Amino acid sequence: MNKNLQMVYTYHNETKHSQQRYARSLGYMDWETQPNPYRTYAGTKKIQLPLSFDNNTLEYSQIFDQKENTLNAPLCKEAISQFFQFSLGLAAIKEYGEQSWALRCNASSGNLQPSEAYMISNEIVGIDDGLYHYSPQEHELELLSKANEQLSLPKNSFLLCLSSIVWREAWKYGERSWRYTQLDCGHALKALEISASILGWKIEVLNTKDSELQKLIGFDQAHRYVPEERELPDMLILVSLANNTEAVDSIDINTIRKTLQEKYDGKANQLSYAWHKWDILEKIEDATLSDDLQTKKYTNDIYEKNPNRQPSSLAKDVVLKRRSAQMMNKDDCTFTKKEFETIIGSVKSNNSAIHLVIFVHSVEEIPSGLYILVRNNEHKTQLQSLLKESFLWEKVDTQAGELYKLEDGDFKFLAKAISCNQDIASDGAFTLGMLAEFKNQVENISAAKYKHLYWDCGAIGQQLYLETTSLNLSATGIGCFLDDILHGVIGLKTNEFQTLYHFTIGRGLVDSRLSTKKPYIK
């Protein structure tokens, strides 16, 4: 076993929560060192983006059907503004007394927002070619480098890089924070995909070497960054018009880098005054980097068409209204079968490494019990052999995908216990755990696949948020769960599969003490 793979297993096992101990963290909030949730670059030219609140968009269900989605917005400053605003921008400002804080369109663990975005513009009307950082606080672009010649990119396309600053999560969550950082990257990826779809655009994650991507974005220019606040690139994305058919195999990162300045403008702001060092975080970051183009390729889950969607709100309204519920209404928690099918059907797939173990609490026509949504039929036989022999594997008559009942019963108490004793896991209509093919992915493909699995889970989570919001229902991602207790419940005794993310869905209770304001209005 090579050292990178060994580090994956070491990190994964050491950061599991259990009944005996939680993963290591400070155990308290060190408010003096709380990181700034916004990255900015001093000494850069700022491009203010026009707000898109008043823009017309398709109804939410239409953006998933390319036949109905005839919109194909041109690449211009106004469209770029909407793309960022409805993906990574601020969705609302919450206030309680004299305190206020921003919520964003992309969900984040603890609202700590470790993800950052960089754009390499290419023939965008109103924006010069070059490298920019997107600043969500002011909804503006910060110019890091102009392009000194035309970029070699397909027509009607531009590049976007997602990166992560794990310190933002480590401040609160300690050693388990790398997991949450990768989940947040997946949330951001899906948010970008949805926002692109609203405009009639598409995204594709490109196959890149991490060392080349670091140079392209400028993270190798150490004098511009605080070393304790390490920022690393996650992925490079090609954004293009949905009807673009030009091949992307010819994109050369090193050639694009040569068109930019040798030294970039701007110095990154310092996020904290002091830091607590967790050695294992840098080790797992290094172990999951990849410079092997043969195994680096990340492919998004392909979600199948959902026949259950009905016309609802405009797509922009669904995106802006997405929230993480803090409490569920246990006295009004029953969903209709149609609502359940719509939500689960929004993430059905047959090419995925992620399956959903579902505790159904209160859904009409579906008995309470333990279920599994198989999202890749090639894994079904293996799962049947690995999970409890006593399971029913009874196919459920539903349009939500390959859903099987494993066991009848009331699992509310158990769901709550698995989710670190949080009531929110038992007070909704159902809760679920995302069970990932693990051993094969990390051992036979690449150690980097470990973080790719989290990206997939985060993307599923963002989709569940949006689908639930479109039905005027509520959802919450759960990062605090007892990993091996869930494994014990389903009888899993090996590393073939591991649970990576949990979710609960119900009817949220609104805290009337909080007021909500529109962002960017001064």
Tab-separated table of all heavy atoms in Angstrom, residues 451-481:
chain	number	residue	atom	x	y	z
A	451	LYS	N	-11.384	12.343	-2.258
A	451	LYS	CA	-12.071	13.634	-2.206
A	451	LYS	C	-13.131	13.739	-3.292
A	451	LYS	O	-14.144	14.416	-3.110
A	451	LYS	CB	-11.083	14.802	-2.296
A	451	LYS	CG	-10.279	14.946	-3.560
A	451	LYS	CD	-9.339	16.140	-3.420
A	451	LYS	CE	-8.410	16.288	-4.608
A	451	LYS	NZ	-7.443	17.407	-4.417
A	452	HIS	N	-12.947	13.036	-4.419
A	452	HIS	CA	-13.974	13.051	-5.464
A	452	HIS	C	-15.292	12.476	-4.933
A	452	HIS	O	-16.372	12.945	-5.300
A	452	HIS	CB	-13.523	12.251	-6.682
A	452	HIS	CG	-12.325	12.827	-7.366
A	452	HIS	ND1	-11.740	12.231	-8.467
A	452	HIS	CD2	-11.581	13.937	-7.113
A	452	HIS	CE1	-10.700	12.956	-8.863
A	452	HIS	NE2	-10.586	13.990	-8.045
A	453	LEU	N	-15.211	11.456	-4.097
A	453	LEU	CA	-16.422	10.877	-3.513
A	453	LEU	C	-17.160	11.905	-2.666
A	453	LEU	O	-18.397	11.980	-2.692
A	453	LEU	CB	-16.066	9.653	-2.670
A	453	LEU	CG	-15.548	8.432	-3.435
A	453	LEU	CD1	-15.077	7.359	-2.461
A	453	LEU	CD2	-16.620	7.858	-4.363
A	454	TYR	N	-16.418	12.701	-1.931
A	454	TYR	CA	-17.049	13.771	-1.146
A	454	TYR	C	-17.674	14.823	-2.068
A	454	TYR	O	-18.749	15.361	-1.767
A	454	TYR	CB	-16.035	14.416	-0.205
A	454	TYR	CG	-15.774	13.610	1.044
A	454	TYR	CD1	-14.589	12.909	1.202
A	454	TYR	CD2	-16.706	13.559	2.071
A	454	TYR	CE1	-14.343	12.165	2.350
A	454	TYR	CE2	-16.472	12.831	3.221
A	454	TYR	CZ	-15.288	12.128	3.350
A	454	TYR	OH	-15.048	11.393	4.488
A	455	TRP	N	-17.004	15.146	-3.168
A	455	TRP	CA	-17.584	16.105	-4.119
A	455	TRP	C	-18.933	15.588	-4.621
A	455	TRP	O	-19.907	16.350	-4.697
A	455	TRP	CB	-16.648	16.310	-5.305
A	455	TRP	CG	-15.331	16.940	-4.979
A	455	TRP	CD1	-14.946	17.498	-3.783
A	455	TRP	CD2	-14.214	17.085	-5.862
A	455	TRP	NE1	-13.660	17.966	-3.864
A	455	TRP	CE2	-13.187	17.727	-5.123
A	455	TRP	CE3	-13.968	16.728	-7.186
A	455	TRP	CZ2	-11.946	18.022	-5.695
A	455	TRP	CZ3	-12.732	17.019	-7.748
A	455	TRP	CH2	-11.738	17.667	-7.006
A	456	ASP	N	-18.990	14.287	-4.963
A	456	ASP	CA	-20.252	13.715	-5.422
A	456	ASP	C	-21.334	13.835	-4.347
A	456	ASP	O	-22.480	14.165	-4.646
A	456	ASP	CB	-20.064	12.245	-5.792
A	456	ASP	CG	-19.459	12.052	-7.179
A	456	ASP	OD1	-19.519	12.993	-7.984
A	456	ASP	OD2	-18.926	10.957	-7.447
A	457	CYS	N	-20.966	13.541	-3.103
A	457	CYS	CA	-21.936	13.618	-2.010
A	457	CYS	C	-22.416	15.056	-1.802
A	457	CYS	O	-23.609	15.300	-1.593
A	457	CYS	CB	-21.323	13.080	-0.718
A	457	CYS	SG	-21.096	11.287	-0.698
A	458	GLY	N	-21.496	16.013	-1.849
A	458	GLY	CA	-21.886	17.409	-1.706
A	458	GLY	C	-22.806	17.856	-2.822
A	458	GLY	O	-23.774	18.599	-2.598
A	459	ALA	N	-22.537	17.395	-4.042
A	459	ALA	CA	-23.387	17.742	-5.184
A	459	ALA	C	-24.790	17.164	-5.006
A	459	ALA	O	-25.794	17.832	-5.296
A	459	ALA	CB	-22.755	17.246	-6.484
A	460	ILE	N	-24.872	15.929	-4.529
A	460	ILE	CA	-26.177	15.329	-4.243
A	460	ILE	C	-26.903	16.167	-3.200
A	460	ILE	O	-28.100	16.444	-3.321
A	460	ILE	CB	-26.007	13.880	-3.757
A	460	ILE	CG1	-25.487	12.992	-4.883
A	460	ILE	CG2	-27.326	13.335	-3.211
A	460	ILE	CD1	-25.051	11.614	-4.431
A	461	GLY	N	-26.170	16.586	-2.171
A	461	GLY	CA	-26.772	17.399	-1.123
A	461	GLY	C	-27.339	18.709	-1.642
A	461	GLY	O	-28.450	19.109	-1.279
A	462	GLN	N	-26.587	19.398	-2.502
A	462	GLN	CA	-27.071	20.665	-3.062
A	462	GLN	C	-28.332	20.439	-3.884
A	462	GLN	O	-29.284	21.229	-3.815
A	462	GLN	CB	-25.982	21.311	-3.922
A	462	GLN	CG	-26.318	22.693	-4.457
A	462	GLN	CD	-26.265	23.785	-3.408
A	462	GLN	OE1	-25.732	23.595	-2.318
A	462	GLN	NE2	-26.807	24.952	-3.718
A	463	GLN	N	-28.372	19.334	-4.646
A	463	GLN	CA	-29.563	19.031	-5.441
A	463	GLN	C	-30.762	18.737	-4.538
A	463	GLN	O	-31.885	19.182	-4.809
A	463	GLN	CB	-29.294	17.840	-6.354
A	463	GLN	CG	-30.444	17.502	-7.284
A	463	GLN	CD	-30.714	18.599	-8.297
A	463	GLN	OE1	-29.810	19.034	-8.997
A	463	GLN	NE2	-31.957	19.074	-8.369
A	464	LEU	N	-30.541	18.001	-3.461
A	464	LEU	CA	-31.624	17.717	-2.520
A	464	LEU	C	-32.153	19.001	-1.890
A	464	LEU	O	-33.366	19.162	-1.708
A	464	LEU	CB	-31.136	16.760	-1.431
A	464	LEU	CG	-30.863	15.316	-1.861
A	464	LEU	CD1	-30.213	14.542	-0.724
A	464	LEU	CD2	-32.149	14.625	-2.311
A	465	TYR	N	-31.247	19.924	-1.562
A	465	TYR	CA	-31.665	21.221	-1.029
A	465	TYR	C	-32.608	21.932	-2.006
A	465	TYR	O	-33.678	22.423	-1.636
A	465	TYR	CB	-30.445	22.110	-0.810
A	465	TYR	CG	-29.836	22.070	0.564
A	465	TYR	CD1	-28.479	21.784	0.731
A	465	TYR	CD2	-30.578	22.377	1.705
A	465	TYR	CE1	-27.889	21.771	1.982
A	465	TYR	CE2	-29.995	22.375	2.968
A	465	TYR	CZ	-28.647	22.066	3.093
A	465	TYR	OH	-28.074	22.073	4.340
A	466	LEU	N	-32.190	22.018	-3.263
A	466	LEU	CA	-32.953	22.771	-4.246
A	466	LEU	C	-34.296	22.106	-4.539
A	466	LEU	O	-35.325	22.773	-4.640
A	466	LEU	CB	-32.150	22.928	-5.528
A	466	LEU	CG	-30.880	23.780	-5.412
A	466	LEU	CD1	-30.086	23.750	-6.711
A	466	LEU	CD2	-31.209	25.212	-5.035
A	467	GLU	N	-34.284	20.791	-4.673
A	467	GLU	CA	-35.527	20.091	-4.982
A	467	GLU	C	-36.521	20.251	-3.835
A	467	GLU	O	-37.718	20.456	-4.054
A	467	GLU	CB	-35.241	18.610	-5.227
A	467	GLU	CG	-36.219	17.945	-6.158
A	467	GLU	CD	-36.105	18.452	-7.582
A	467	GLU	OE1	-34.977	18.800	-8.009
A	467	GLU	OE2	-37.139	18.504	-8.281
A	468	THR	N	-36.013	20.170	-2.617
A	468	THR	CA	-36.870	20.341	-1.441
A	468	THR	C	-37.419	21.756	-1.384
A	468	THR	O	-38.612	21.972	-1.125
A	468	THR	CB	-36.080	20.016	-0.166
A	468	THR	OG1	-35.535	18.693	-0.261
A	468	THR	CG2	-36.966	20.088	1.059
A	469	THR	N	-36.568	22.733	-1.643
A	469	THR	CA	-36.998	24.133	-1.641
A	469	THR	C	-38.076	24.374	-2.678
A	469	THR	O	-39.026	25.132	-2.439
A	469	THR	CB	-35.793	25.057	-1.906
A	469	THR	OG1	-34.788	24.826	-0.915
A	469	THR	CG2	-36.210	26.524	-1.861
A	470	SER	N	-37.959	23.742	-3.836
A	470	SER	CA	-38.948	23.940	-4.905
A	470	SER	C	-40.335	23.466	-4.485
A	470	SER	O	-41.340	23.884	-5.057
A	470	SER	CB	-38.511	23.215	-6.184
A	470	SER	OG	-38.688	21.814	-6.077
A	471	LEU	N	-40.397	22.585	-3.480
A	471	LEU	CA	-41.672	22.058	-2.973
A	471	LEU	C	-42.116	22.772	-1.697
A	471	LEU	O	-43.067	22.343	-1.042
A	471	LEU	CB	-41.528	20.554	-2.687
A	471	LEU	CG	-41.249	19.663	-3.903
A	471	LEU	CD1	-40.915	18.251	-3.464
A	471	LEU	CD2	-42.439	19.663	-4.851
A	472	ASN	N	-41.399	23.852	-1.344
A	472	ASN	CA	-41.669	24.593	-0.103
A	472	ASN	C	-41.506	23.715	1.132
A	472	ASN	O	-42.237	23.848	2.115
A	472	ASN	CB	-43.074	25.215	-0.142
A	472	ASN	CG	-43.210	26.270	-1.224
A	472	ASN	OD1	-42.339	27.129	-1.371
A	472	ASN	ND2	-44.277	26.199	-2.002
A	473	LEU	N	-40.530	22.804	1.063
A	473	LEU	CA	-40.182	21.945	2.183
A	473	LEU	C	-38.755	22.282	2.613
A	473	LEU	O	-38.150	23.214	2.078
A	473	LEU	CB	-40.323	20.474	1.773
A	473	LEU	CG	-41.743	20.078	1.332
A	473	LEU	CD1	-41.745	18.682	0.711
A	473	LEU	CD2	-42.719	20.145	2.504
A	474	SER	N	-38.226	21.546	3.581
A	474	SER	CA	-36.946	21.934	4.184
A	474	SER	C	-35.967	20.766	4.235
A	474	SER	O	-36.368	19.599	4.290
A	474	SER	CB	-37.167	22.464	5.609
A	474	SER	OG	-38.086	23.528	5.616
A	475	ALA	N	-34.688	21.102	4.244
A	475	ALA	CA	-33.639	20.086	4.304
A	475	ALA	C	-32.447	20.621	5.082
A	475	ALA	O	-32.279	21.833	5.239
A	475	ALA	CB	-33.209	19.688	2.900
A	476	THR	N	-31.618	19.712	5.556
A	476	THR	CA	-30.384	20.078	6.235
A	476	THR	C	-29.340	18.988	6.036
A	476	THR	O	-29.633	17.798	6.238
A	476	THR	CB	-30.610	20.274	7.752
A	476	THR	OG1	-31.476	21.386	7.961
A	476	THR	CG2	-29.299	20.552	8.465
A	477	GLY	N	-28.149	19.379	5.641
A	477	GLY	CA	-27.039	18.448	5.586
A	477	GLY	C	-26.512	18.194	6.982
A	477	GLY	O	-26.443	19.103	7.811
A	478	ILE	N	-26.136	16.952	7.259
A	478	ILE	CA	-25.623	16.571	8.575
A	478	ILE	C	-24.217	16.004	8.411
A	478	ILE	O	-24.028	14.947	7.813
A	478	ILE	CB	-26.541	15.533	9.253
A	478	ILE	CG1	-27.935	16.125	9.479
A	478	ILE	CG2	-25.949	15.065	10.582
A	478	ILE	CD1	-28.934	15.138	10.057
A	479	GLY	N	-23.238	16.711	8.928
A	479	GLY	CA	-21.857	16.234	8.883
A	479	GLY	C	-21.460	15.505	10.144
A	479	GLY	O	-20.502	14.733	10.154
A	480	CYS	N	-22.197	15.742	11.221
A	480	CYS	CA	-21.912	15.081	12.495
A	480	CYS	C	-22.749	13.811	12.591
A	480	CYS	O	-23.959	13.864	12.848
A	480	CYS	CB	-22.222	16.019	13.671
A	480	CYS	SG	-21.749	15.333	15.279
A	481	PHE	N	-22.130	12.678	12.344
A	481	PHE	CA	-22.805	11.387	12.465
A	481	PHE	C	-21.780	10.350	12.910
A	481	PHE	O	-20.568	10.529	12.737
A	481	PHE	CB	-23.469	10.984	11.144
A	481	PHE	CG	-22.555	10.979	9.951
A	481	PHE	CD1	-21.758	9.886	9.662
A	481	PHE	CD2	-22.485	12.087	9.109
A	481	PHE	CE1	-20.898	9.882	8.564
A	481	PHE	CE2	-21.642	12.090	8.005
A	481	PHE	CZ	-20.843	10.993	7.738
